[in-house]
Amino acid sequence: MQHFIDLAKKHKLLKVIDTPLDVELEIPHLSYIEVKKSDSKALLFTQPKRGDRIFKTPVLTNIFGSFDLLNLIVQKNPEEIATQIQNLLKLTPPKTFFQKLRKAKELFALRHAIPKLLSSKGQCQEVIHLKPSLLELPALKTWDLDGGAFITMGQVYTQSLDGELKNLGMYRLQIYDEKRLGLHWQIHKDSNHFFHAYKKAKKPMPVSIALGGDPLYTWCGQAPMPYGVFELALYGIIRNRKPRLVQSITNPIFIPEDADFVIEGWVDPQKLELEGPFGDHTGYYTPIEPYPVLEVSAITHKSSPIFPATVVGKPPLEDKYMGYLTEQVFLPMLKMTTHGLLDYHMPENGVFHNLILAQIAPSYPAHSQQLMHAFWGMGQMSFVKHALFVGPEAPSLLDYPAITEHILNRFSPERLLITEGICDALDHSSPSYGRGGKLGLDATGEQIKRSGLNPIDDKELKHKIQALLPHVLDLKQYYTHTQAPICILSVQKNHTPILPTLCKLSPLSAHLGIVIAIDSHKNNLNNPYMLIWRITNNIDAKRDIYIDKEVAYIDATDKEACDGHTREWPQDTDCSPVVIQKLQEANLLEIDKSFLEKFAILHS
């Protein structure tokens, strides 16, 4: 971690903040805004405090806060990493002499994937606390309504009941008190599979959480490796050296010897405790729900540790850059299991699982639909809610204006596939926990020509729509030159369902292509970046889409009892105006009103 700091300073990618700032809201808000800047840097807070108490340990945020920082950490071409991962997962026996030579070369390159277990203590154990207190850590409270302080960059190390399988994951960790830590591992995570085996055997589960060390450990913790493959194998492949591990002091878990902090303990699988709320990477608070609890038995650390933290909320944030590397590295592996896939991309404002763009080379009828189902049945890709498929002739998936126009010129309700399946545990719009609607669009092939389409300007269309729907307060159209113009309606809901009323627009179908209703009080019609964030978060494809001939109507308003939605609808993650003003007055924050509005930083 210190090496990373020195390297970031050398490349002018680090800001050092010597002003005492509180770990509650102040440090998080400054970090949250910094990472949204086009020239964002990592931030080192030398005097973090909680109230009047100043911590001795510095806090480092935005470690993955830009492509430059990402390159500084990885220092390797993603394509090279991808090839080595393929070799790791395809260890088939060679048949010919030349295959044996090639295999020997591949195996030699993979020798670093197996960690080296040290018998000595590590740097992470220079100081050992057997009567530990989690309250000594400068953990952040990012949002006003968070349930408390959370550790957000913990490397969570677990192992199977028989000790044969190891796992590294990255989950949020709520500090309850001095010795108890909430573990928010979700239903699909390997650590949760291990947990249920311990629960069935009625045995306590060992868990160790490392903080710091090489930043690459953290990226490995969120990488979508297949079940049973230890994520630190990625570290060895990328670094070309074995990860060096030492055993925890009070449990059998091995952790990186160069970590800055290690929190050790045991989980009683028979006990759960309420965790949350927490303003998560979706940009919404996730609800209070029961999760396992770590009873901390020891905290160890370096003699001069650094405390790493990340801030989540509305995009763009660090996961933009971490996700980009994940896309590049795991594309070849996806191609192995998804015949016809050429490329894919998860836009940052679709917060990854909510929206995916995929480029394919279809070679037979319904090939794109087959690949939609393949995505929805494959690892973490199964949590994707909306998948849009284009053909090989499509423009770059990163050229958003061009790819949007390309898709809209091939949009037809007949080419929509709406089904249901598993959802991310953080998805709030699905009718039930962990299960909801899925949407796939086949936008491959030639451009379509919709007969009778007659777009009109916003003012005239607004007049016609308000005559039919008085609760529409305003509207804005996008891409009116395409075969499926988008019309965003700003509506006042008044506790009545919106979708049934949209069918009244049928007489205007010649002017419409895709109609989307949003809440007037919390959305800016002129901010397409945040509109995509809101819409992909707020819809469940089975419940919120209505097709009338050639027009698709979508209800992206907040759902409530009138919509048949019985789950709690969460609040947005909004910064505190008081904290923003304080940071500005201290000359630590230089942003204008347009920046705040662009990323919906304050409540609308």
Side-chain angles (χ1 to χ4, degrees), residues 310-366:
T310 188
V311 174
V312 291
K314 298 173 188 173
L317 292 168
E318 284 184 86
D319 54 6
K320 165 183 176 177
Y321 305 102
M322 298 174 78
Y324 169 80
L325 180 60
T326 302
E327 286 177 3
Q328 297 301 303
V329 167
F330 287 91
L331 174 60
M333 193 166 72
L334 274 176
K335 287 181 177 179
M336 289 167 53
T337 55
T338 316
H339 171 67
L341 178 67
L342 302 176
D343 197 7
Y344 79 107
H345 172 59
M346 294 182 172
E348 65 199 59
N349 50 344
V351 289
F352 301 98
H353 286 149
N354 284 343
L355 177 64
I356 185 170
L357 307 175
Q359 188 172 37
I360 64 172
S363 53
Y364 43 80

Coordinates of all heavy atoms in Angstrom, one line a residue, residues 310-366:
T310 N -13.5 2.5 0.1 CA -14.1 3.0 -1.2 C -15.5 3.5 -0.8 O -16.1 3.1 0.2 CB -14.2 1.8 -2.2 OG1 -14.7 2.3 -3.4 CG2 -15.1 0.7 -1.7
V311 N -16.0 4.3 -1.7 CA -17.3 4.9 -1.5 C -18.2 4.5 -2.6 O -17.8 4.6 -3.8 CB -17.2 6.5 -1.4 CG1 -18.6 7.1 -1.4 CG2 -16.3 6.9 -0.2
V312 N -19.4 4.1 -2.3 CA -20.4 3.7 -3.3 C -21.6 4.6 -3.2 O -21.9 5.2 -2.2 CB -20.8 2.2 -3.2 CG1 -19.6 1.3 -3.5 CG2 -21.3 1.9 -1.8
G313 N -22.4 4.6 -4.3 CA -23.5 5.4 -4.5 C -23.9 5.5 -5.9 O -23.7 4.6 -6.7
K314 N -24.3 6.7 -6.4 CA -24.7 6.9 -7.8 C -23.4 7.0 -8.6 O -22.4 7.4 -8.2 CB -25.4 8.2 -7.9 CG -26.8 8.3 -7.2 CD -27.4 9.7 -7.3 CE -28.6 9.8 -6.4 NZ -29.1 11.2 -6.3
P315 N -23.5 6.5 -9.8 CA -22.3 6.5 -10.7 C -22.0 7.9 -11.2 O -22.8 8.8 -11.0 CB -22.8 5.6 -11.9 CG -24.3 5.9 -12.0 CD -24.7 6.0 -10.5
P316 N -20.7 8.1 -11.7 CA -19.6 7.1 -11.8 C -18.8 7.0 -10.5 O -18.6 8.0 -9.9 CB -18.8 7.6 -13.0 CG -18.9 9.1 -12.9 CD -20.3 9.3 -12.4
L317 N -18.3 5.8 -10.2 CA -17.5 5.6 -9.1 C -16.3 4.6 -9.4 O -16.1 4.3 -10.6 CB -18.3 5.1 -7.9 CG -19.3 6.1 -7.3 CD1 -20.3 5.5 -6.4 CD2 -18.6 7.2 -6.6
E318 N -15.6 4.1 -8.4 CA -14.5 3.3 -8.7 C -14.9 2.0 -9.4 O -14.0 1.5 -10.1 CB -13.8 2.9 -7.3 CG -12.9 4.0 -6.7 CD -12.2 3.6 -5.5 OE1 -11.1 3.0 -5.6 OE2 -12.8 3.8 -4.4
D319 N -16.1 1.5 -9.2 CA -16.4 0.3 -9.9 C -16.5 0.4 -11.4 O -16.4 -0.5 -12.1 CB -17.8 -0.3 -9.3 CG -18.9 0.7 -9.4 OD1 -18.7 1.8 -9.9 OD2 -20.0 0.4 -8.9
K320 N -16.6 1.7 -11.9 CA -16.5 1.9 -13.3 C -15.1 1.4 -13.8 O -15.1 0.7 -14.9 CB -16.5 3.4 -13.6 CG -16.1 3.9 -15.0 CD -16.2 5.4 -15.1 CE -15.6 5.8 -16.5 NZ -15.7 7.3 -16.7
Y321 N -14.1 1.7 -13.1 CA -12.7 1.3 -13.6 C -12.4 -0.2 -13.3 O -11.9 -0.9 -14.1 CB -11.7 2.2 -13.0 CG -12.0 3.7 -13.3 CD1 -12.6 4.5 -12.3 CD2 -11.8 4.2 -14.5 CE1 -12.9 5.8 -12.6 CE2 -12.1 5.5 -14.8 CZ -12.7 6.3 -13.9 OH -13.0 7.6 -14.2
M322 N -12.8 -0.6 -12.1 CA -12.7 -2.0 -11.8 C -13.5 -2.9 -12.7 O -13.0 -4.0 -13.1 CB -13.1 -2.3 -10.3 CG -12.3 -1.5 -9.3 SD -12.9 -1.6 -7.6 CE -12.3 -3.2 -7.2
G323 N -14.7 -2.5 -13.0 CA -15.5 -3.2 -13.9 C -15.0 -3.3 -15.3 O -15.1 -4.3 -16.0
Y324 N -14.4 -2.2 -15.8 CA -13.8 -2.2 -17.1 C -12.7 -3.3 -17.2 O -12.7 -4.0 -18.2 CB -13.2 -0.8 -17.4 CG -12.3 -0.8 -18.7 CD1 -12.9 -0.7 -19.9 CD2 -10.9 -0.9 -18.6 CE1 -12.1 -0.7 -21.1 CE2 -10.1 -0.9 -19.7 CZ -10.7 -0.8 -21.0 OH -9.9 -0.9 -22.1
L325 N -11.8 -3.4 -16.2 CA -10.8 -4.4 -16.3 C -11.4 -5.8 -16.2 O -11.0 -6.7 -17.0 CB -9.8 -4.2 -15.1 CG -8.7 -5.2 -15.0 CD1 -7.8 -5.2 -16.2 CD2 -7.9 -5.0 -13.7
T326 N -12.4 -6.0 -15.4 CA -13.1 -7.3 -15.4 C -13.7 -7.6 -16.7 O -13.6 -8.8 -17.2 CB -14.2 -7.2 -14.3 OG1 -13.7 -6.9 -13.1 CG2 -14.9 -8.6 -14.2
E327 N -14.3 -6.7 -17.4 CA -14.9 -6.9 -18.8 C -13.8 -7.4 -19.7 O -14.0 -8.4 -20.4 CB -15.5 -5.7 -19.3 CG -16.8 -5.3 -18.7 CD -17.3 -3.9 -19.3 OE1 -16.7 -3.4 -20.2 OE2 -18.4 -3.5 -18.8
Q328 N -12.7 -6.7 -19.7 CA -11.6 -7.0 -20.7 C -11.0 -8.4 -20.4 O -10.7 -9.1 -21.3 CB -10.5 -5.9 -20.6 CG -11.0 -4.5 -21.0 CD -11.6 -4.5 -22.5 OE1 -10.9 -4.9 -23.4 NE2 -12.8 -4.1 -22.6
V329 N -10.8 -8.6 -19.1 CA -10.1 -9.9 -18.7 C -10.9 -11.1 -19.0 O -10.4 -12.2 -19.4 CB -9.6 -9.8 -17.3 CG1 -9.2 -11.1 -16.7 CG2 -8.4 -8.8 -17.1
F330 N -12.2 -11.0 -18.7 CA -13.1 -12.2 -18.7 C -13.9 -12.4 -20.0 O -14.6 -13.3 -20.2 CB -14.0 -12.2 -17.5 CG -13.3 -12.5 -16.2 CD1 -12.8 -11.5 -15.5 CD2 -13.1 -13.8 -15.8 CE1 -12.1 -11.8 -14.3 CE2 -12.4 -14.1 -14.7 CZ -11.9 -13.1 -13.9
L331 N -13.7 -11.4 -21.0 CA -14.3 -11.6 -22.3 C -13.9 -12.9 -23.0 O -14.8 -13.7 -23.4 CB -14.0 -10.4 -23.2 CG -14.5 -10.5 -24.6 CD1 -16.1 -10.7 -24.7 CD2 -14.1 -9.3 -25.5
P332 N -12.6 -13.3 -23.1 CA -12.3 -14.6 -23.7 C -12.9 -15.8 -23.0 O -13.3 -16.7 -23.7 CB -10.8 -14.6 -23.6 CG -10.4 -13.2 -23.5 CD -11.4 -12.5 -22.7
M333 N -13.1 -15.7 -21.7 CA -13.7 -16.8 -21.0 C -15.2 -16.9 -21.3 O -15.7 -18.0 -21.5 CB -13.5 -16.7 -19.5 CG -13.8 -18.0 -18.7 SD -13.2 -17.9 -17.0 CE -14.3 -16.7 -16.3
L334 N -15.8 -15.7 -21.5 CA -17.2 -15.7 -21.8 C -17.4 -16.3 -23.3 O -18.4 -17.0 -23.5 CB -17.8 -14.3 -21.8 CG -18.3 -13.8 -20.4 CD1 -18.8 -12.4 -20.5 CD2 -19.5 -14.7 -20.0
K335 N -16.5 -15.9 -24.1 CA -16.6 -16.4 -25.5 C -16.5 -18.0 -25.6 O -17.1 -18.6 -26.4 CB -15.4 -15.8 -26.3 CG -15.6 -14.4 -26.7 CD -14.4 -13.9 -27.5 CE -14.6 -12.5 -28.0 NZ -13.4 -12.0 -28.8
M336 N -15.7 -18.5 -24.6 CA -15.6 -20.0 -24.6 C -16.9 -20.7 -24.3 O -17.2 -21.8 -24.9 CB -14.6 -20.4 -23.5 CG -13.1 -20.1 -23.8 SD -12.1 -20.3 -22.3 CE -12.5 -21.9 -21.8
T337 N -17.8 -20.1 -23.5 CA -19.0 -20.7 -23.1 C -20.2 -20.1 -23.9 O -21.4 -20.5 -23.7 CB -19.2 -20.5 -21.6 OG1 -19.2 -19.1 -21.3 CG2 -18.2 -21.3 -20.8
T338 N -20.0 -19.0 -24.7 CA -21.1 -18.3 -25.3 C -20.8 -18.2 -26.8 O -20.3 -17.2 -27.3 CB -21.4 -17.0 -24.7 OG1 -21.3 -17.1 -23.3 CG2 -22.7 -16.4 -25.1
H339 N -21.0 -19.3 -27.6 CA -20.6 -19.3 -29.0 C -21.3 -18.2 -29.8 O -22.5 -18.0 -29.7 CB -21.0 -20.6 -29.6 CG -20.9 -20.7 -31.1 ND1 -19.7 -20.6 -31.7 CD2 -21.8 -20.7 -32.1 CE1 -19.9 -20.6 -33.0 NE2 -21.2 -20.7 -33.3
G340 N -20.5 -17.4 -30.5 CA -21.1 -16.3 -31.2 C -20.9 -14.9 -30.6 O -21.1 -13.9 -31.2
L341 N -20.4 -14.9 -29.3 CA -20.2 -13.6 -28.6 C -18.9 -13.0 -29.2 O -17.9 -13.6 -29.2 CB -20.1 -13.8 -27.1 CG -19.8 -12.6 -26.3 CD1 -21.0 -11.6 -26.3 CD2 -19.5 -13.0 -24.8
L342 N -19.0 -11.7 -29.5 CA -17.8 -11.0 -30.0 C -17.3 -10.0 -29.0 O -16.1 -9.8 -28.8 CB -18.2 -10.2 -31.3 CG -18.7 -11.0 -32.5 CD1 -19.0 -10.1 -33.6 CD2 -17.6 -12.0 -32.9
D343 N -18.2 -9.3 -28.3 CA -17.8 -8.3 -27.3 C -19.0 -8.0 -26.4 O -20.1 -8.4 -26.7 CB -17.4 -7.0 -28.0 CG -16.6 -6.1 -27.2 OD1 -16.2 -6.5 -26.0 OD2 -16.3 -5.0 -27.6
Y344 N -18.7 -7.5 -25.2 CA -19.8 -7.0 -24.3 C -19.3 -5.8 -23.5 O -18.1 -5.6 -23.4 CB -20.3 -8.2 -23.4 CG -19.4 -8.4 -22.2 CD1 -19.8 -8.1 -20.9 CD2 -18.1 -9.1 -22.4 CE1 -19.0 -8.3 -19.8 CE2 -17.3 -9.3 -21.3 CZ -17.8 -8.9 -20.0 OH -17.0 -9.2 -18.9
H345 N -20.3 -5.1 -23.0 CA -19.9 -3.9 -22.2 C -21.1 -3.6 -21.3 O -22.3 -3.7 -21.7 CB -19.7 -2.7 -23.1 CG -19.5 -1.4 -22.4 ND1 -18.5 -1.2 -21.5 CD2 -20.2 -0.2 -22.5 CE1 -18.6 0.0 -21.0 NE2 -19.6 0.6 -21.6
M346 N -20.7 -3.3 -20.0 CA -21.7 -2.9 -19.1 C -21.6 -1.4 -18.8 O -20.6 -1.0 -18.1 CB -21.6 -3.7 -17.8 CG -21.9 -5.2 -18.0 SD -21.8 -6.1 -16.4 CE -22.5 -7.7 -16.9
P347 N -22.4 -0.5 -19.3 CA -22.3 0.9 -19.1 C -22.3 1.3 -17.6 O -23.1 0.7 -16.8 CB -23.5 1.5 -19.8 CG -23.8 0.5 -20.8 CD -23.6 -0.8 -20.2
E348 N -21.5 2.2 -17.2 CA -21.4 2.6 -15.8 C -22.7 3.1 -15.2 O -23.0 2.8 -14.0 CB -20.3 3.6 -15.6 CG -20.7 5.0 -16.3 CD -19.5 5.9 -16.5 OE1 -18.6 5.5 -17.2 OE2 -19.6 7.0 -16.0
N349 N -23.5 3.8 -16.0 CA -24.7 4.3 -15.4 C -25.9 3.3 -15.5 O -27.0 3.6 -15.0 CB -25.2 5.6 -16.1 CG -25.2 5.6 -17.6 OD1 -24.6 4.7 -18.2 ND2 -25.8 6.5 -18.3
G350 N -25.6 2.1 -16.0 CA -26.5 1.0 -15.8 C -26.1 0.1 -14.6 O -26.7 -0.9 -14.4
V351 N -25.2 0.7 -13.8 CA -24.7 0.0 -12.6 C -24.5 -1.5 -12.9 O -24.9 -2.3 -12.0 CB -25.4 0.3 -11.3 CG1 -25.2 1.7 -10.9 CG2 -26.9 0.1 -11.4
F352 N -23.9 -1.9 -14.0 CA -23.5 -3.2 -14.3 C -24.6 -4.2 -14.5 O -25.0 -4.5 -15.6 CB -22.4 -3.6 -13.4 CG -21.2 -2.7 -13.4 CD1 -21.1 -1.7 -12.5 CD2 -20.3 -2.7 -14.4 CE1 -20.0 -0.8 -12.5 CE2 -19.2 -1.8 -14.5 CZ -19.1 -0.8 -13.6
H353 N -25.1 -4.7 -13.4 CA -26.1 -5.8 -13.6 C -27.4 -5.3 -14.2 O -28.2 -6.1 -14.6 CB -26.4 -6.4 -12.2 CG -25.3 -7.3 -11.7 ND1 -25.0 -7.5 -10.4 CD2 -24.4 -8.1 -12.4 CE1 -24.0 -8.3 -10.2 NE2 -23.6 -8.7 -11.4
N354 N -27.7 -4.0 -14.2 CA -28.9 -3.5 -14.7 C -29.0 -3.4 -16.2 O -30.0 -3.4 -16.8 CB -29.3 -2.1 -14.1 CG -29.8 -2.2 -12.7 OD1 -30.2 -3.3 -12.3 ND2 -29.7 -1.1 -12.0
L355 N -27.8 -3.3 -16.9 CA -27.8 -3.1 -18.3 C -26.5 -3.7 -18.9 O -25.4 -3.4 -18.5 CB -27.9 -1.6 -18.7 CG -27.8 -1.3 -20.2 CD1 -29.0 -1.9 -20.9 CD2 -27.8 0.2 -20.3
I356 N -26.6 -4.5 -20.0 CA -25.5 -5.0 -20.7 C -25.7 -4.8 -22.2 O -26.8 -5.0 -22.7 CB -25.2 -6.5 -20.3 CG1 -23.9 -7.0 -21.0 CG2 -26.3 -7.4 -20.8 CD1 -23.4 -8.3 -20.5
L357 N -24.6 -4.4 -22.9 CA -24.6 -4.4 -24.4 C -23.8 -5.5 -24.8 O -22.7 -5.7 -24.3 CB -24.1 -3.0 -24.9 CG -24.7 -1.8 -24.3 CD1 -24.0 -0.5 -24.8 CD2 -26.2 -1.7 -24.7
A358 N -24.2 -6.3 -25.8 CA -23.5 -7.4 -26.3 C -23.5 -7.4 -27.8 O -24.5 -7.2 -28.4 CB -24.1 -8.8 -25.8
Q359 N -22.3 -7.6 -28.4 CA -22.1 -7.7 -29.8 C -21.9 -9.2 -30.2 O -21.0 -9.9 -29.6 CB -21.0 -6.9 -30.3 CG -20.9 -6.8 -31.8 CD -19.8 -5.8 -32.3 OE1 -18.8 -5.7 -31.6 NE2 -20.1 -5.1 -33.3
I360 N -22.7 -9.7 -31.1 CA -22.7 -11.1 -31.4 C -22.6 -11.3 -32.9 O -22.9 -10.4 -33.7 CB -23.9 -11.9 -30.8 CG1 -25.2 -11.4 -31.5 CG2 -23.9 -11.7 -29.3 CD1 -26.4 -12.2 -31.1
A361 N -22.3 -12.5 -33.3 CA -22.3 -12.9 -34.8 C -23.3 -14.0 -34.9 O -23.0 -15.2 -34.8 CB -20.9 -13.4 -35.2
P362 N -24.6 -13.7 -35.1 CA -25.6 -14.8 -35.1 C -25.4 -15.6 -36.4 O -25.2 -15.1 -37.5 CB -26.9 -14.0 -35.2 CG -26.6 -12.6 -35.7 CD -25.2 -12.4 -35.2
S363 N -25.6 -16.9 -36.2 CA -25.4 -17.8 -37.4 C -26.6 -18.7 -37.6 O -26.5 -19.6 -38.5 CB -24.1 -18.7 -37.1 OG -24.2 -19.3 -35.9
Y364 N -27.6 -18.6 -36.9 CA -28.9 -19.3 -37.2 C -30.0 -18.7 -36.5 O -29.9 -17.8 -35.6 CB -28.7 -20.8 -36.7 CG -28.1 -20.9 -35.3 CD1 -28.8 -20.7 -34.1 CD2 -26.8 -21.3 -35.2 CE1 -28.2 -20.9 -32.9 CE2 -26.2 -21.5 -33.9 CZ -26.9 -21.3 -32.8 OH -26.3 -21.4 -31.6
P365 N -31.3 -19.0 -36.9 CA -32.5 -18.4 -36.3 C -32.5 -18.5 -34.8 O -32.1 -19.5 -34.2 CB -33.6 -19.1 -36.9 CG -33.1 -19.7 -38.2 CD -31.6 -20.0 -37.9
A366 N -32.9 -17.4 -34.1 CA -33.0 -17.3 -32.7 C -31.7 -17.5 -31.9 O -31.7 -17.8 -30.7 CB -34.0 -18.4 -32.2

